[in-house]
Amino acid sequence: MSKNSSIHFDISERKILLRILDIVCVLALLYVVGTVFNFDYFKINSQHWVWSIVLAVYLTVFATIFELYNLQKASKFDVVVKNVIITSSVTVLFYLLTPFYTPMLPSNRLQIVYFFLAINIAMLAWRYAYIILISAPRFYKRVLLIANSQDVDAIVESLQKSDPNYRVIGYFNTGPNDGTIVNNLEIDVISIRDIALLTKEMTISEIVVGTPLSEGMTVELNNQLIKLLENGIPIREYTQVYEELTHRIPVQHVEKDFYRYFPFSRSNQNKLYLFFNRILDLFFSIIGLAFGLILLPFFIIGNLLANQGPLFYSQTRVGKNGVHFKIYKLRSMIINAEKNGAQFAKLKDRRVTKFGRFLRKSRFDEIPQFINVIKGEMSVIGPRPERPEFVEDLIEKIPFYEVRHLVKPGVTGWAQVNAKYGSSEEDSLEKLQYDLYYIKHRSLFLDITIIIKTLSTIVFFRGQ
């Protein structure tokens, strides 16, 4: 059996690598172009070091917004080409319009064209090299799984869907031999004696334990894993790996040990964080409402022509600590949309008007909720507030659903920028996993990440 490369890159390592080499490659090519063609617009030297920093900041921010660090998309060159061109175009535009900290416009405007082309060529060349080299199978993270055979398919799918470079090679069955067949693995079910041998022969990067200690984890199996741990093989529990790869809390798998497993973020009680969070809420709310006032004539005309009813509407939602409040939105559905009772909005819901669909896609229908933020009923970032009729039912069906009410609901949130549209109980479970991840890891950095990803949702018209 031939050995595979033992080198692999984790998600965080690949994202850091992409960010650093994006900047390095762009600045390196700009330096070469400036030296060879003697351009005076952009120079990299000790006198103009601020120019490079401003360009690097713009490039990083817009590359994040336009999803150049989404690893699933970073491995598809056709998607990368589109996103690189959009990123470089917006970066150059903002760079040209930034006063004081960027160079004066050159008399020979052709230099701007070369500046733009150099950024595109540098990023495309590096991203192509990343796809050919780093995203190649030789750098996959190869994993052995310890789990019940009935759970293997679901575990493998959830892990590999979240990280395209994560590969489960085979598994040890901790349950009864019921003839379950798992497809798409290099090797099938293995015995205890094979674990150590295959770990060496297949250059396994990690062993993931996806079964409770009380179910199938025998003394012999534990001893085998301890020997591998002593030999330097990382062994991790499935819920930890799942959270790291998916940025979700697998609440359905940690019911018995939830409070031990789920340490709440200190930011939820940190007065300094909460103070600055409130300041940012007010700041973004003022900007959001000002933007809404500018677009108000457009909303009024669109509503008169396409909606033919009241422009605004309010609805009762569940807020922090289960307190009910009235949420404000721009109306996107037909009048009397719920004459037959409350129901989940669905993808391509026929009750949504044509203009309402535009409002939802662009997220403009959420603008009036900044009033709720100013009133203190909501925050800019947090779990989306749900209707009382649905909350009562979801609390009974989904474990720990009420935990999401420990923080203020938000105009946008971790679930909104990651999960698909919530039109069923399964979708609500997925959104809860993201909401609990936010509550567990709540921080200023995560808040900024959500704001940037929200901009991506608006730019790519993916609101629902």
Side-chain angles (χ1 to χ4, degrees):
M1 185 178 297
S2 61
K3 287 189 178 184
N4 294 277
S5 172
S6 60
I7 300 175
H8 64 270
F9 295 92
D10 290 329
I11 288 179
S12 58
E13 292 171 335
R14 275 178 276 140
K15 288 186 175 181
I16 292 173
L17 189 67
L18 286 171
R19 291 178 189 276
I20 292 176
L21 286 183
D22 276 351
I23 295 170
V24 169
C25 291
V26 166
L27 293 180
L29 188 56
L30 286 173
Y31 179 80
V32 171
V33 170
T35 302
V36 172
F37 295 97
N38 196 27
F39 281 174
D40 56 10
Y41 174 61
F42 187 87
K43 295 181 179 179
I44 300 177
N45 53 41
S46 58
Q47 293 178 324
H48 303 110
W49 56 271
V50 176
W51 295 357
S52 299
I53 292 177
V54 173
L55 179 61
V57 169
Y58 279 154
L59 189 63
T60 300
V61 170
F62 291 120
T64 302
I65 292 174
F66 296 113
E67 302 182 329
L68 281 175
Y69 304 123
N70 182 315
L71 296 182
Q72 282 82 6
K73 296 182 179 181
S75 59
K76 301 174 182 177
F77 192 65
D78 57 334
V79 177
V80 167
V81 170
K82 179 189 71 174
N83 291 348
V84 163
I85 294 174
I86 296 174
T87 298
S88 60
S89 299
V90 177
T91 297
V92 171
L93 177 62
F94 271 75
Y95 193 78
L96 293 175
L97 297 177
T98 300
F100 308 118
Y101 300 105
T102 59
M104 297 290 292
L105 293 177
S107 56
N108 180 6
R109 300 301 169 89
L110 187 62
Q111 292 190 23
I112 296 176
V113 176
Y114 281 97
F115 180 68
F116 173 72
L117 291 176
I119 294 175
N120 276 279
I121 292 171
M123 292 188 69
L124 288 173
W126 150 235
R127 290 310 185 103
Y128 181 75
Y130 168 83
I131 293 172
I132 296 299
L133 300 174
I134 308 302
S135 288
R138 68 174 69 91
F139 291 117
Y140 284 169
K141 189 168 188 175
R142 301 166 63 79
V143 176
L144 278 182
L145 182 63
I146 308 295
N148 189 306
S149 60
Q150 295 181 347
D151 300 327
V152 171
D153 266 331
I155 292 176
V156 171
E157 182 182 3
S158 66
L159 296 180
Q160 295 185 173
K161 180 180 178 181
S162 303
D163 183 358
N165 286 30
Y166 200 95
R167 288 291 181 271
V168 177
I169 305 303
Y171 73 98
F172 172 81
N173 181 21
T174 58
N177 186 8
D178 56 1
T180 300
I181 298 176
V182 180
N183 299 315
N184 303 320
L185 298 183
E186 287 189 25
I187 52 179
D188 203 350
V189 60
I190 59 178
S191 65
I192 290 182
R193 294 190 304 274
D194 293 331
I195 294 177
L197 177 63
L198 290 173
T199 299
K200 182 178 180 180
E201 290 293 324
M202 302 290 290
T203 57
I204 298 300
S205 307
E206 185 174 271
I207 293 177
V208 174
V209 179
T211 189
L213 292 175
S214 58
E215 298 179 12
M217 294 297 291
T218 63
V219 174
E220 184 182 5
L221 177 58
N222 273 313
N223 289 338
Q224 184 69 264
L225 294 180
I226 290 172
K227 290 180 182 178
L228 292 173
L229 191 62
E230 292 173 345
N231 291 331
I233 301 298
I235 299 175
R236 295 201 292 165
E237 203 266 332
Y238 165 65
T239 54
Q240 296 174 335
V241 177
Y242 182 94
E243 180 179 339
E244 178 185 300
L245 294 182
T246 66
H247 298 117
R248 291 151 54 181
I249 301 293
V251 66
Q252 70 274 32
H253 296 297
V254 294
E255 291 184 49
K256 296 179 182 178
D257 301 316
F258 182 79
Y259 293 104
R260 177 179 61 83
Y261 173 78
F262 192 84
F264 294 96
S265 171
R266 293 180 180 179
S267 295
N268 294 315
Q269 303 297 329
N270 187 305
K271 292 183 179 179
L272 184 62
Y273 167 80
L274 294 176
F275 172 76
F276 281 109
N277 181 265
R278 181 59 180 162
I279 295 298
L280 290 175
D281 279 349
L282 294 174
F283 173 74
F284 283 114
S285 296
I286 292 171
I287 292 178
L289 290 175
F291 180 72
L293 286 174
I294 294 173
L295 294 179
L296 185 58
F298 168 74
F299 295 151
I300 293 174
I301 294 172
N303 182 70
L304 288 173
L305 295 177
N307 282 2
Q308 300 178 353
L311 176 60
F312 299 97
Y313 87 101
S314 63
Q315 196 175 63
T316 301
R317 298 291 176 100
V318 179
K320 184 178 179 181
N321 298 326
V323 176
H324 293 190
F325 70 99
K326 290 285 186 181
I327 195 174
Y328 307 112
K329 297 185 73 173
L330 294 176
R331 190 170 60 86
S332 58
M333 288 190 175
I334 59 175
I335 300 174
N336 297 323
E338 294 188 327
K339 58 184 179 182
N340 297 322
Q343 54 185 293
F344 278 112
K346 301 177 181 178
L347 199 61
K348 297 182 180 180
D349 199 318
R350 293 184 178 181
R351 298 173 299 162
V352 179
T353 66
K354 290 183 178 180
F355 185 64
R357 188 165 290 112
F358 164 77
L359 292 175
R360 289 187 170 214
K361 288 281 187 183
S362 61
R363 291 285 182 92
F364 289 160
D365 64 320
E366 313 284 3
I367 290 177
Q369 288 168 41
F370 288 117
I371 298 174
N372 295 110
V373 176
I374 292 176
K375 291 172 66 178
E377 297 165 332
M378 295 178 63
S379 179
V380 170
I381 298 171
R384 284 295 293 162
E386 194 53 86
R387 301 177 64 179
E389 302 92 327
F390 301 146
V391 168
E392 293 176 5
D393 185 52
L394 292 171
I395 286 176
E396 293 181 2
K397 295 180 178 179
I398 300 178
F400 302 102
Y401 186 84
E402 62 269 36
V403 173
R404 69 198 300 273
H405 298 136
L406 291 176
V407 299
K408 287 183 182 179
V411 178
T412 186
W414 192 234
Q416 275 57 54
V417 298
N418 286 291
K420 60 184 179 180
Y421 193 54
S423 58
S424 66
E425 183 182 324
E426 291 75 19
D427 294 337
S428 295
L429 172 60
E430 181 183 4
K431 290 173 66 177
L432 175 64
Q433 292 177 332
Y434 282 114
D435 287 335
L436 293 183
Y437 181 91
Y438 173 73
I439 296 172
K440 181 178 180 180
H441 296 279
R442 193 180 184 196
S443 66
L444 183 60
F445 177 78
L446 184 56
D447 289 344
I448 293 173
T449 301
I450 292 171
I451 290 173
I452 292 176
K453 289 177 75 69
T454 300
L455 292 175
S456 296
T457 301
I458 295 172
V459 167
F460 288 104
F461 218 54
R462 285 201 290 263
Q464 313 246 10

